[in-house]
């Protein structure tokens, strides 16, 4: 629902035209950063710790053990409602596909994470604000089914403005579809870890993303149900400092850990090794 | 307050009334004129009510006097015992529920509740629940499962409340949990969309084996106004958004998001609430009869398959 960010000017993480190509600027503190180092630091500003957005492919590279990822996502979106606003949905889809090289807002596949066999699904914010329509819902359900069938752990990295408006009620139904599919993991005692990144709102937070065994959030990530603009309009007041940020959610008991991206893989592996019944007792490995 | 598109009908009705009054007081024979106008009225009604636009239906779905959950409970059910509270934080007046009889059947009922006047609407937060409302709903689902009674839910909300307190208490989390809880029921679950089916706040009590909808109710991922504000950058384009969202009962039936449409009296449920409620009751009894044959496991599988199948995509 909160697709409000979708129409803002797009700015790939860390890019800035005012400085020479090799350099970029932190979006939060404005520090000059050497691009190569910035990338190696996983787009975390070494000066202020601000976590910049990163692409789905970079997420996979960061979390999957090297050389183990095999993509399984393959579905393409349709335009079931023939939706037209100021532009036809079909045209918007084409533009996103061209821009991201992806069919829809999710990249997923099988891999090992710290040696633990996993299904890793990563939402791509660059594609229609990471919104969940029929393709995202179906890919998640299939990912869960694959995890259950192959005794893999499930890891989902959420980055989404919510359900996709242009598929209306069908998008809404993906919330029920994805949530119900998780029962397959419950039945087989397979772990599900959710990683909430900036931003995760609307129908994605209010469905599969909130129902993991362990929930990580990245520092400073905006996470919630309603978007801040909607809330501001409703209550006609300024929102409290830090409202709906990862640290706020930790304080209110909604997430297990707020973890710096540079430690995220390590903590994820620990969680998966604790939870996956197929991994032998091995503290501190 | 009359709806804008109904004004020609109301004006004509008023003129007929005046003419009848004149005939009565003056004794002049106006029968021919009156008959003519009545014929014209019938045509006008057919023209307007027979060709309602999606936006007009949205207005009917919100019309004052439209049956609410408590109205249906009072008239279609017997011996409703309301249960309160989430056992954790508060009782949310935007969601009501409890134990009731539907003809010979013991059932558990839960539904959004809008106010029937301004004062009640404020108390009930216009039918927009906080997390405690959904926790109460989950309690009632537990109860239905524990005693093996069918769960009947009534949907009528613009959406879950978008506010600071709701976010602090995990609005997204309880909606997700409620979807999950309802999906796992081992008893028959029927949802009826009475008026507004606004997004996740509606779906949270809509994960049923059969989803029924009143003829003029709407159900979508976002309200037409909010959709227009985002995509057209102007909430006044809501009529266009209502059209684009395919949120009417007929559209939803074609998309298989709902399983059946419950007819409303001409001009909307608020014109004859008793008739509308009777139609709801008949539809519930029919649907319940159909589901009663299924075992607890079959009911779960039936619901799982129903939602698993929804969506439109291309294999490639
Ligand atoms: Zn910085």
């Amino acid at each position: 629902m909160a697709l409000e960010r979708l129409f803002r000017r797009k700015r790939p993480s860390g890019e800035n035209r005012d400085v020479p190509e090799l350099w970029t600027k932190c979006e939060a503190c404005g520090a000059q950063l050497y691009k190569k180092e910035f990338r190696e630091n996983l787009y975390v500003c070494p000066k202020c710790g601000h976590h910049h957005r990163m692409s789905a492919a970079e997420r996979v590279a960061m979390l999957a053990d090297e050389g183990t990822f095999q993509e399984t996502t393959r579905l393409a979106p349709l335009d079931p409602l023939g939706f037209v606003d100021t532009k036809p949905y079909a045209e918007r889809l084409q533009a996103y596909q061209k821009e991201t090289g992806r069919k829809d807002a999710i990249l997923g596949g099988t891999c090992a994470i710290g040696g633990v066999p996993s299904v890793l699904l990563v939402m791509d914010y660059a594609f229609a604000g990471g919104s969940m329509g029929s393709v995202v819902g179906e890919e998640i359900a299939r990912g869960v089914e694959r995890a259950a069938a192959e005794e893999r752990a499930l890891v989902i990295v959420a980055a989404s403005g919510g359900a996709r408006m242009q598929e209306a009620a069908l998008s809404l139904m993906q919330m029920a579809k994805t949530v119900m599919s998780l029962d397959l993991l419950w039945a087989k005692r397979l772990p599900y870890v959710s990683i909430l990144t900036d931003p995760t709102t609307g129908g994605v937070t209010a469905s599969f993303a909130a129902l993991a065994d362990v929930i990580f959030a990245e520092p400073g990530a905006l996470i919630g149900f309603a978007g801040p603009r909607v809330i501001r309009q409703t209550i006609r007041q300024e929102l409290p400092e830090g409202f709906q940020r990862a640290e706020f959610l930790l304080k209110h008991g909604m997430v297990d850990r707020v973890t710096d991206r540079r430690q995220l893989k390590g903590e994820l592996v620990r969680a998966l090794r604790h939870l996956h019944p197929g991994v032998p007792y091995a503290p501190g490995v | 307050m009359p709806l804008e598109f109904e004004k020609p009908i109301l004006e004509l009705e008023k003129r007929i009334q005046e003419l009848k009054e004149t005939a009565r007081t003056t004794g002049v024979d106006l029968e021919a004129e009156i008959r003519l106008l009545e014929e014209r009225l019938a045509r006008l009604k057919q023209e307007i009510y027979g060709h309602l636009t999606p936006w007009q239906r949205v207005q009917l779905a919100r019309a004052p006097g439209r049956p609410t959950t408590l109205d249906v409970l009072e008239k279609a059910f017997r011996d409703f015992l309301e249960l309160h509270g989430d056992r954790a934080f508060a009782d949310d007046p935007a969601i009501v529920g409890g134990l009731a009889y539907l003809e010979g059947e013991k059932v558990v009922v839960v539904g959004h509740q809008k106010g029937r006047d301004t004062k009640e609407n404020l108390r009930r937060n216009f039918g927009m629940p906080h997390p405690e409302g959904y926790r109460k709903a989950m309690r009632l689902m537990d109860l239905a499962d524990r005693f093996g009674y069918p769960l009947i839910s009534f949907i009528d909300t613009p959406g879950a409340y978008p506010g600071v307190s709701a976010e602090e208490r995990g609005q997204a989390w309880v909606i997700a949990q409620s979807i999950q809880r309802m999906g796992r029921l081992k008893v028959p679950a029927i949802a009826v969309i009475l008026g507004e089916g606004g997004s996740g706040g509606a779906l949270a009590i809509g994960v049923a084996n059969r989803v029924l909808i009143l003829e003029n109710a709407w159900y979508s991922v976002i309200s037409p106004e909010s959709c227009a504000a985002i995509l057209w950058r102007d909430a006044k384009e809501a009529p266009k958004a209502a059209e684009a969202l395919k949120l009417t009962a007929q559209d939803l039936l074609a998309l298989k998001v709902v399983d059946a449409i419950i007819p409303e009296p001409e001009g909307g449920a608020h014109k004859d609430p008793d008739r509308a409620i009777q139609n709801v009751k008949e539809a519930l009894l029919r649907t319940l009869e159909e589901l009663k044959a299924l075992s607890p496991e079959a009911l779960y599988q039936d619901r799982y398959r129903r939602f698993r199948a929804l969506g439109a995509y291309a294999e490639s």
Side-chain angles (χ1 to χ4, degrees):
Chain A
M1 150 170 181
L3 282 187
E4 44 202 63
R5 289 169 168 231
L6 207 147
F7 299 93
R8 285 200 203 140
R9 193 167 59 87
K10 283 196 188 64
R11 187 170 45 175
S13 7
E15 296 280 337
N16 197 310
R17 296 270 162 232
D18 312 339
V19 284
E21 287 255 316
L22 290 174
W23 295 83
T24 187
K25 236 182 195 173
C26 170
E27 281 174 16
C29 74
Q32 298 277 336
L33 305 169
Y34 187 49
K35 263 193 189 171
K36 188 168 164 288
E37 276 173 17
F38 183 47
R39 217 171 19 242
E40 283 164 4
N41 207 38
L42 302 170
Y43 303 97
V44 178
C45 173
K47 302 283 189 316
C48 75
H50 180 72
H51 284 52
H52 296 74
R53 289 193 186 137
M54 63 195 291
S55 75
E58 287 165 323
R59 284 277 173 200
V60 169
M62 164 188 150
L63 295 176
D65 295 351
E66 214 179 323
T68 64
F69 184 76
Q70 293 201 308
E71 184 176 354
T72 56
T73 39
R74 62 201 187 94
L75 302 177
L78 297 171
D79 177 15
L81 310 184
F83 197 101
V84 178
D85 50 269
T86 52
K87 227 195 217 175
Y89 176 44
E91 268 178 39
R92 288 191 194 276
L93 283 173
Q94 277 175 8
Y96 289 128
Q97 284 166 343
K98 213 174 140 199
E99 203 176 298
T100 61
R102 208 175 298 298
K103 295 194 187 88
D104 208 305
I106 188 162
L107 168 63
T110 57
C111 65
I113 298 176
V116 179
S118 306
V119 165
L120 173 63
L121 303 168
V122 181
M123 303 186 80
D124 190 353
Y125 191 76
F127 192 109
S131 56
M132 172 163 68
S134 298
V135 168
V136 171
E138 182 68 19
E139 290 286 11
I140 287 172
R142 289 188 187 189
V144 175
E145 285 162 354
R146 186 182 299 272
E150 298 174 7
E151 314 246 304
R152 293 172 182 273
L154 174 70
V155 178
I156 302 182
V157 181
S160 174
R164 190 169 298 169
M165 268 181 292
Q166 292 93 339
E167 293 183 31
L170 288 181
S171 299
L172 185 66
M173 295 303 114
Q174 306 310 308
M175 294 169 67
K177 178 199 274 189
T178 54
V179 165
M180 289 192 77
S181 73
L182 294 173
D183 283 356
L184 300 173
L185 300 179
W186 262 251
K188 289 202 144 182
R189 287 194 174 161
L190 290 164
Y192 165 31
V193 176
S194 171
I195 298 168
L196 310 182
T197 73
D198 186 59
T200 303
T201 59
V204 166
T205 323
S207 63
F208 62 87
L211 297 175
D213 300 301
V214 174
I215 304 177
F216 289 102
E218 286 198 332
L222 178 80
I223 299 159
F225 177 63
R229 203 180 61 176
V230 175
I231 298 175
R232 215 177 290 123
Q233 278 166 2
T234 309
I235 63 169
R236 297 197 166 82
Q237 276 173 28
E238 275 313 300
L239 299 173
E241 178 77 24
F243 178 64
Q244 291 185 312
R245 297 290 164 186
E247 298 73 14
F248 169 95
L249 282 125
L250 182 70
K251 180 177 159 227
H252 287 281
M254 302 303 152
V255 301
D256 289 287
R257 301 178 72 83
V258 175
T259 301
D260 188 298
R261 190 178 288 160
R262 291 161 292 188
Q263 275 84 56
L264 188 57
K265 170 143 190 192
E267 289 202 11
L268 173 63
V269 169
R270 283 174 63 205
L272 292 177
R273 293 184 69 85
H274 271 293
L275 291 172
H276 199 294
V279 176
Y281 172 72
V285 172
Chain B
M1 213 173 53
L3 301 169
E4 194 59 39
F5 66 89
E6 291 185 302
K7 278 186 180 156
I9 292 173
L10 299 175
E11 272 161 27
L12 199 53
E13 278 175 345
K14 203 172 135 211
R15 263 178 63 201
I16 293 169
Q17 215 45 49
E18 282 167 359
L19 230 51
K20 281 182 177 168
E21 187 64 18
T22 314
R24 201 176 53 80
T25 51
T26 62
V28 181
D29 181 12
L30 295 170
E31 213 169 295
E33 283 90 336
I34 291 171
R35 195 166 343 104
L36 215 67
L37 286 183
E38 278 176 339
E39 279 164 17
R40 205 207 291 174
L41 177 67
R43 275 200 309 276
L44 189 64
K45 279 186 170 174
Q46 169 56 28
E47 216 169 275
I48 293 177
Y49 294 135
H51 303 88
L52 290 169
T53 66
W55 179 239
Q56 286 169 343
R57 289 190 198 272
V58 169
Q59 289 168 281
L60 288 177
R62 295 168 176 168
R66 193 174 172 85
T68 67
T69 298
L70 284 177
D71 296 321
V72 179
L73 270 162
E74 194 182 303
K75 292 192 171 126
F77 294 75
R78 281 169 62 190
D79 199 15
F80 171 55
L81 183 67
E82 184 170 0
L83 302 178
H84 290 280
D86 69 341
R87 300 292 190 269
F89 181 78
D91 183 45
D92 187 347
I95 285 191
V96 296
L99 309 168
Y101 298 98
L102 179 65
E103 291 296 327
E105 202 76 39
K106 290 181 174 181
V107 294
V108 176
V109 180
V110 61
H112 302 105
Q113 184 63 38
K114 291 186 180 176
R116 285 158 288 189
D117 54 51
T118 308
K119 201 176 148 211
E120 194 194 356
N121 238 334
L122 285 170
R123 185 166 75 82
R124 299 201 182 272
N125 201 29
F126 299 86
M128 294 185 286
H130 281 74
E132 48 272 26
Y134 294 108
R135 275 196 299 267
K136 174 161 71 180
M138 287 188 267
R139 251 195 78 209
L140 292 164
M141 293 169 197
D142 288 344
L143 212 58
D145 247 348
R146 175 157 140 68
F147 291 93
Y149 299 156
L151 183 93
I152 294 170
S153 68
F154 294 107
I155 293 172
D156 189 14
T157 180
Y161 184 62
V164 173
S165 52
E167 295 288 326
E168 281 174 349
R169 299 203 286 277
Q171 189 74 290
W173 272 256
V174 293
I175 289 173
Q177 288 158 2
S178 189
I179 290 170
Q180 186 170 58
R181 180 65 194 90
M182 193 164 176
R184 288 176 175 175
L185 284 171
K186 294 285 175 79
V187 296
I190 307 172
V192 182
I193 304 158
L194 289 178
E196 299 193 86
S199 195
L203 177 67
I205 58 167
V207 190
N209 295 85
R210 299 287 181 276
V211 181
L212 316 179
I213 187 169
L214 273 171
E215 193 181 335
N216 295 310
W218 68 269
Y219 190 24
S220 195
V221 74
I222 189 167
S223 76
E225 289 92 337
S226 304
C227 178
I230 297 168
L231 291 181
W232 282 264
R233 298 185 162 280
D234 184 358
K236 288 195 210 69
E237 300 285 6
K240 280 188 195 160
E243 192 91 40
L245 285 167
K246 299 280 189 288
L247 47 60
T248 69
Q250 280 298 342
D251 289 323
L252 296 166
L253 188 67
L255 293 167
K256 298 197 162 88
V257 170
V258 303
D259 302 289
I261 299 172
I262 304 173
E264 294 187 26
E266 187 184 55
H270 64 296
K271 292 277 160 66
D272 186 354
D274 287 356
R275 181 73 243 162
I277 291 170
Q278 185 57 30
N279 293 350
V280 169
K281 182 177 177 179
E282 283 164 16
L284 281 174
L285 288 170
R286 259 198 317 275
T287 312
L288 203 52
E289 201 50 44
E290 191 188 318
L291 294 173
K292 264 163 63 180
L294 300 180
S295 71
E297 183 56 28
L299 284 163
Y300 170 77
Q301 292 300 339
D302 169 82
R303 205 177 306 117
Y304 189 97
R305 279 195 302 270
R306 185 193 183 284
F307 286 91
R308 183 68 188 81
L310 291 172
Y313 48 83
E315 303 277 348
S316 56

